[in-house]
Amino acid sequence: MGCCFFVNSIRAQQVEKIYLNPKSPVIQKQTNFVDSIQFTAFESVAGVSFNEYANVRLTHAYFLVTDYTAGFLYIYTKRGAFVKKINFKSLTKDLYPAYSAKTNEIVFFGNNNNYTLTSKDRVKIQLDWSNERNLKYFKKYVIDLSDTSFEIKKAKPDKYNLIGAHAFYEDQYIQTKITTSPLYKDSTGYEVSLYENEKLVKNYFPYNRVNEPRFLFSEENVSVTSSGSPNISYLMRPYCDTVYKLVEGRLSPVYHLVMPVENSLPATFFTDVSVTKTERENFKRNNGWAFHQIRDFYETSRLIYITISFLSHYEVFVYDKQTQTAYNATKIKGDSKQYNLSLLTSYNVTRAGHKFYKLLKADVLISFFRQNPDIAVPKELAAWLQGNPDKNVPILVAFTLKD
């Protein structure tokens, strides 16, 4: 299964193959892949409790923890000192908090429940996105992280909010939403569009937005991840097993995943325009291990970290360029050298630059050092561990992949 769709503004170059078997039983030690482990113990505060499945993000000055189920945000300094607990659910209702590094704000954006938008309405708004009258159909709140009151304030949605465009490099915004509708008069759409000063400057990956078979009955997005270097990103498209590198507007295919036949989609998935919604839903339900999309991609000189969604599964892999072998993260085991921690599973791993971050329950480390008194405690945890710490307080672990 390859991506044989026309791409404009693309550079031809040698594409490397990554051979991947999702069900490979091969087991490896985590110490072969993970390096530079550091810990930050979050301050224990009465009334503050969240589990290790909460999402953590690095902002300009803080660690931001989101417990969406409970409806709370927690702000900590980069040394782990507690700063603020914010109840956002009562005000913002079902809006999910997103962090904008460009403005250093937490942004809540979504539909205004005073209006009911049909699919036809949404298409009209998308086609007339610069019309400010459309702003009333949406609501937006922000928390300015440079203001230590951390007040949730109502804000005016901007035009980029309406089309789901996000801040990209410098003054550019990137829009990656993919949808189909028979309401479009012009059938040509693009999977990725770049804007600057509210003007379209470049499109990539044309598709038929009326009846493209692979995108029928679902909304998709191209995944965009930073390489950790300025102005270099990776783009991963739905139902496409090729990874593209975008360097200051210049696009090149760089890697191609090769998987077993059982993970491949049939040719009809890309060509059959007569498929019904029920047929497509049944296909996805009965083919859970069929490839959907590469979600995250990051590489060092030696390793590649890949997160992949199948039709009903998510898996993380680490690919060793030297041996040309891919390892499923569930088969990568921690040992006593890394405190028996499993750091590469995907459910709450985030990355900023070249560092990965993961929340752990403090009890995991407390129990480990109690059972292994001969193993040295990391210096950043020594005082914390001697202070009879709360076993329910999360510990943030930062690590890098080996070069």
Side-chain angles (χ1 to χ4, degrees):
M1 179 183 63
C3 300
C4 54
F5 311 107
F6 172 78
V7 181
N8 53 341
S9 302
I10 194 168
R11 286 187 165 192
Q13 71 173 54
Q14 184 65 33
V15 179
E16 296 186 38
K17 294 185 183 296
I18 297 176
Y19 291 90
L20 185 151
N21 184 352
K23 296 184 179 180
S24 172
V26 179
I27 295 175
Q28 267 285 12
K29 288 185 177 181
Q30 186 173 271
T31 49
N32 291 331
F33 307 118
V34 169
D35 206 357
S36 305
I37 295 178
Q38 296 176 312
F39 298 96
T40 302
F42 285 165
E43 180 184 357
S44 178
V45 178
V48 173
S49 176
F50 54 92
N51 61 45
E52 69 270 28
Y53 295 95
N55 173 270
V56 62
R57 279 168 286 186
L58 183 66
T59 74
H60 293 330
Y62 304 107
F63 285 119
L64 174 68
V65 179
T66 303
D67 187 340
Y68 182 73
T69 302
F72 291 104
L73 290 170
Y74 303 96
I75 299 175
Y76 293 84
T77 70
K78 292 184 178 179
R79 291 182 175 272
F82 176 77
V83 178
K84 186 80 172 182
K85 174 182 178 180
I86 302 171
N87 182 342
F88 67 83
K89 204 125 188 184
S90 60
L91 179 61
T92 64
K93 298 190 186 300
D94 297 326
L95 304 184
Y96 190 85
Y99 174 64
S100 169
K102 190 181 188 72
T103 60
N104 195 30
E105 291 177 327
I106 302 168
V107 179
F108 306 83
F109 173 79
N111 295 332
N112 184 341
N113 293 330
N114 292 328
Y115 299 91
T116 301
L117 297 178
T118 65
S119 58
K120 185 176 182 179
D121 294 330
R122 295 182 186 280
V123 171
K124 287 181 177 180
I125 290 171
Q126 181 186 351
L127 295 174
D128 193 24
W129 71 287
S130 61
N131 187 341
E132 292 216 356
R133 287 182 297 178
N134 290 321
L135 299 182
K136 66 183 179 182
Y137 299 115
F138 304 93
K139 55 184 178 179
K140 180 180 180 180
Y141 300 88
V142 300
I143 301 173
D144 182 358
L145 291 180
S146 62
D147 177 357
T148 55
S149 71
F150 302 112
E151 182 183 354
I152 301 176
K153 297 180 180 179
K154 194 169 185 178
K156 178 182 177 181
D158 62 41
K159 297 170 186 177
Y160 289 127
N161 293 142
L162 270 62
I163 58 171
H166 303 284
F168 201 43
Y169 295 120
E170 297 177 344
D171 294 328
Q172 288 190 338
Y173 282 74
I174 188 167
Q175 194 266 358
T176 64
K177 184 179 178 181
I178 303 168
T179 187
T180 58
S181 172
L183 300 173
Y184 289 114
K185 294 180 180 179
D186 180 359
S187 64
T188 302
Y190 295 89
E191 296 178 33
V192 176
S193 298
L194 292 182
Y195 294 86
E196 193 169 332
N197 299 321
E198 298 187 0
K199 301 292 184 183
L200 178 67
V201 294
K202 194 166 290 187
N203 285 320
Y204 303 95
F205 308 119
Y207 73 98
N208 187 323
R209 58 182 177 174
V210 173
N211 61 358
E212 185 74 47
R214 60 203 156 116
F215 300 141
L216 289 174
F217 316 115
S218 66
E219 287 191 352
E220 304 284 352
N221 281 279
V222 172
S223 294
V224 182
T225 63
S226 169
S227 68
S229 301
N231 297 331
I232 300 176
S233 294
Y234 294 107
L235 272 61
M236 291 79 66
R237 305 160 58 198
Y239 308 114
C240 178
D241 47 19
T242 298
V243 177
Y244 298 85
K245 181 182 283 188
L246 186 64
V247 183
E248 296 181 346
R250 299 185 301 275
L251 190 68
S252 304
V254 286
Y255 291 101
H256 173 218
L257 294 189
V258 180
M259 288 175 283
V261 173
E262 66 176 290
N263 303 115
S264 300
L265 292 161
T268 53
F269 189 88
F270 300 89
T271 59
D272 187 2
V273 296
S274 66
V275 64
T276 66
K277 184 176 181 180
T278 299
E279 289 171 337
R280 178 56 54 86
E281 289 174 348
N282 287 338
F283 174 83
K284 291 182 176 180
R285 189 179 302 112
N286 296 325
N287 294 273
W289 278 102
F291 173 78
H292 179 204
Q293 187 172 1
I294 304 168
R295 295 290 184 176
D296 192 12
F297 186 93
Y298 170 75
E299 66 176 325
T300 68
S301 59
R302 184 193 144 199
L303 301 172
I304 297 176
Y305 176 91
I306 314 170
T307 301
I308 297 177
S309 66
F310 299 88
L311 293 184
S312 63
H313 301 277
Y314 277 86
E315 299 289 339
V316 176
F317 302 89
V318 178
Y319 179 76
D320 189 324
K321 297 179 186 178
Q322 294 176 351
T323 62
Q324 297 185 328
T325 306
Y327 301 93
N328 192 314
T330 61
K331 303 293 194 301
I332 297 175
K333 305 299 182 181
D335 57 31
S336 60
K337 290 182 180 179
Q338 296 187 346
Y339 319 107
N340 290 346
L341 301 175
S342 294
L343 299 175
L344 294 168
T345 52
S346 66
Y347 62 84
N348 68 339
V349 175
T350 57
R351 179 173 57 87
H354 298 291
K355 278 191 175 182
F356 290 78
Y357 297 89
K358 182 181 177 75
L359 281 175
L360 301 171
K361 192 175 181 181
D363 188 45
V364 173
L365 287 167
I366 294 170
S367 298
F368 173 83
F369 289 116
R370 185 178 296 142
Q371 296 168 13
N372 299 273
D374 55 322
I375 294 180
V377 177
K379 61 181 181 180
E380 63 266 32
L381 291 182
W384 168 82
L385 197 61
Q386 292 173 359
N388 191 26
D390 181 349
K391 66 179 182 179
N392 294 312
V393 173
I395 301 291
L396 183 67
V397 56
F399 62 93
T400 60
L401 294 186
K402 287 189 172 181
D403 284 324

